[in-house]
Amino acid sequence: MQEEHVVVIYPHPDDEAFGASGTIATFREKGIPVTYLCGTLGEMGRNMGNPTFATRETLPEIRKKELIKACEIMDVQLEMLGYRDKTLEFESKEEMAEHLFSYLNKIKPSLVITHYPGHAVHPDHDAFGAAAIAAVEKFPVDERPTVWAQAISLTHVEELGEPQIKNDITPVFKQKFAAITAHKSQADGMLAKVKKESEDAEKAAQSWLGVESFYIWDFKS
Amino acid sequence: MEPIEMKKLQVEIDQLANREVYVHLETTNGAYASHFNKDAYNVGAFIRNAKVTYQRGKVVGTGSTYRVGLKLDIGWIYAEGVNQFEVDEEGRLLMAGHDREGRLMVALQIGETPFHY
């Protein structure tokens, strides 16, 4: 029996918080180790805090600190892979897959969580998700971890059907909200927007971030 | 960053004229524009560490939004919508325009050494 270990592969600091921190918290509560392979430092993010406190040049260091803090809150191992925001689709997919595989081959995860290529809206999400799946394909078929692919496109249910995994993360929403707010430069704008519509930002956020859904990737092997 | 004062900014632009400088220029409406609004388009462009020399640079504008143009020997660099600026710890001139939510819409940055990353 393979030892359980979850690897989360996303390109930007905060993708893990918005997308999967409830699921991550649930794994951690069961004592299952989680490693986050974070592709970039979100160097080209538009959000500079609200009111602004970052510049294009200070943003990478700020987001790096926020990422480290979020990972402490989620109690996950963090690896920063050193790519540059907005450029992943122009990198070599094969080289990125090799790079990701070098981590996966050491960790031998039971589950990989990443974006669903073609249904992840941001070009970095699509490119890194595709590289992550190519990395998993480097394992022999019987040694491959399960892949949970996250789709966020408006058309994913119509085109792919309902996701097989729908995690109601209400019981761990406090942890999710804490992970999100650790990314202060990015969360400020979102929280201000939510606050405008509701007195209680945490409660309002829960209504649209309370479920984390994933498709089980079909390797067609 | 602080709101642009034309006189103060012009001094900084003048200081970097007629010498070799590195420019970061970008504009963006984000990768989610058409995701949140199907009638919107995703547009953006950036160039990082373009090595140029400008003969003359000028900030022009009224109210709270400004344009900056840099005249090169064989071309121009132009940014519209900047409203804040600062000279950072490394002596680089950073100019940017943000929307109401603090999101960057346009940036023009000039430094005597290349920008990181």
Side-chain angles (χ1 to χ4, degrees), chain A residues 46 56-57 84 125 152, chain B residues 26 32 48 104 109 117:
Chain A
R46 275 198 309 158
R56 174 58 71 237
E57 299 312 310
R84 188 175 169 83
H125 297 174
I152 55 177
Chain B
E26 81 174 273
Y32 298 96
R48 190 158 174 86
L104 186 140
Q109 307 181 155
Y117 300 95

Side-chain angles (χ1 to χ4, degrees), chain A residues 41 43-44 46-50 52 55-57 60-61 84 86 121-123 125 152-154 196, chain B residues 1 24 26 28-32 35 46 48 84 86 92 94 98 100-104 109 115 117:
Chain A
L41 293 177
E43 292 89 347
M44 292 297 281
R46 275 198 309 158
N47 285 289
M48 297 292 170
N50 188 17
T52 58
T55 69
R56 174 58 71 237
E57 299 312 310
E61 267 310 307
R84 188 175 169 83
K86 281 187 111 110
V121 181
H122 192 301
H125 297 174
I152 55 177
S153 66
L154 300 172
K196 229 185 271 171
Chain B
M1 296 191 122
H24 170 101
E26 81 174 273
T28 178
N29 63 356
Y32 298 96
H35 179 66
F46 77 88
R48 190 158 174 86
Q84 291 191 300
E86 74 172 41
R92 301 170 301 197
L94 313 183
H98 301 93
R100 277 170 213 89
E101 277 84 42
R103 289 175 302 207
L104 186 140
Q109 307 181 155
F115 292 95
Y117 300 95

Side-chain angles (χ1 to χ4, degrees), chain A residues 93-110:
Chain A
K93 177 180 153 185
E94 182 48 35
E95 280 175 28
M96 286 196 295
E98 256 329 313
H99 190 190
L100 291 170
F101 181 69
S102 70
Y103 288 94
L104 297 182
N105 200 30
K106 256 183 265 167
I107 297 168
K108 305 254 188 273
S110 48

Side-chain angles (χ1 to χ4, degrees), chain B residues 34-105:
Chain B
S34 61
H35 179 66
F36 290 123
N37 174 4
K38 66 178 173 53
D39 295 326
Y41 297 88
N42 283 7
V43 288
F46 77 88
I47 183 166
R48 190 158 174 86
N49 288 327
K51 196 173 171 184
V52 301
T53 301
Y54 59 91
Q55 319 163 356
R56 189 172 68 238
K58 208 191 263 189
V59 52
V60 182
T62 47
S64 57
T65 177
Y66 300 87
R67 298 172 296 282
V68 175
L70 308 177
K71 184 172 189 176
L72 314 181
D73 285 343
I74 56 162
W76 289 86
I77 290 172
Y78 171 92
E80 178 167 21
V82 294
N83 52 29
Q84 291 191 300
F85 84 113
E86 74 172 41
V87 176
D88 78 357
E89 284 170 355
E90 296 181 45
R92 301 170 301 197
L93 175 57
L94 313 183
M95 295 164 273
H98 301 93
D99 68 11
R100 277 170 213 89
E101 277 84 42
R103 289 175 302 207
L104 186 140
M105 301 184 290

Side-chain angles (χ1 to χ4, degrees), chain A residues 12-42:
Chain A
H12 309 120
D14 80 1
D15 287 338
E16 86 298 341
F18 284 107
S21 56
T23 301
I24 290 168
T26 310
F27 283 123
R28 291 302 297 128
E29 283 184 354
K30 291 180 192 154
I32 296 166
V34 177
T35 301
Y36 181 26
L37 307 182
C38 186
T40 79
L41 293 177

Side-chain angles (χ1 to χ4, degrees), chain A residues 22-200:
Chain A
T23 301
I24 290 168
T26 310
F27 283 123
R28 291 302 297 128
E29 283 184 354
K30 291 180 192 154
I32 296 166
V34 177
T35 301
Y36 181 26
L37 307 182
C38 186
T40 79
L41 293 177
E43 292 89 347
M44 292 297 281
R46 275 198 309 158
N47 285 289
M48 297 292 170
N50 188 17
T52 58
F53 59 85
T55 69
R56 174 58 71 237
E57 299 312 310
T58 59
L59 190 64
E61 267 310 307
I62 289 170
R63 293 193 73 174
K64 186 176 174 179
K65 287 193 185 113
E66 291 171 347
L67 174 63
I68 290 167
K69 192 176 162 203
C71 287
E72 282 169 7
I73 289 168
M74 293 183 291
D75 190 24
V76 308
Q77 181 73 33
L78 169 66
E79 301 285 351
M80 291 174 276
L81 270 51
Y83 294 99
R84 188 175 169 83
D85 192 12
K86 281 187 111 110
T87 67
L88 295 181
E89 61 184 328
F90 308 111
E91 293 281 0
S92 153
K93 177 180 153 185
E94 182 48 35
E95 280 175 28
M96 286 196 295
E98 256 329 313
H99 190 190
L100 291 170
F101 181 69
S102 70
Y103 288 94
L104 297 182
N105 200 30
K106 256 183 265 167
I107 297 168
K108 305 254 188 273
S110 48
L111 173 67
V112 169
I113 294 176
T114 191
H115 283 118
Y116 197 115
H119 279 280
V121 181
H122 192 301
D124 284 339
H125 297 174
D126 284 334
F128 218 42
I133 286 162
V136 172
E137 282 174 335
K138 291 180 184 295
F139 285 107
V141 174
D142 56 350
E143 290 173 27
R144 276 179 199 161
T146 303
V147 173
W148 287 1
Q150 187 162 50
I152 55 177
S153 66
L154 300 172
T155 57
H156 69 270
V157 173
E158 187 185 321
E159 291 176 26
L160 305 171
E162 288 292 330
Q164 296 94 333
I165 310 290
K166 287 186 189 176
N167 293 335
D168 172 9
I169 55 101
T170 313
V172 291
F173 195 77
K174 271 217 168 328
Q175 287 98 305
K176 175 160 185 161
F177 197 69
I180 289 171
T181 48
H183 294 282
K184 182 171 165 39
S185 67
Q186 306 305 298
D188 270 0
M190 181 274 291
L191 292 177
K193 203 169 153 193
V194 170
K195 267 180 192 156
K196 229 185 271 171
E197 291 152 22
S198 162
E199 283 290 297
D200 186 344

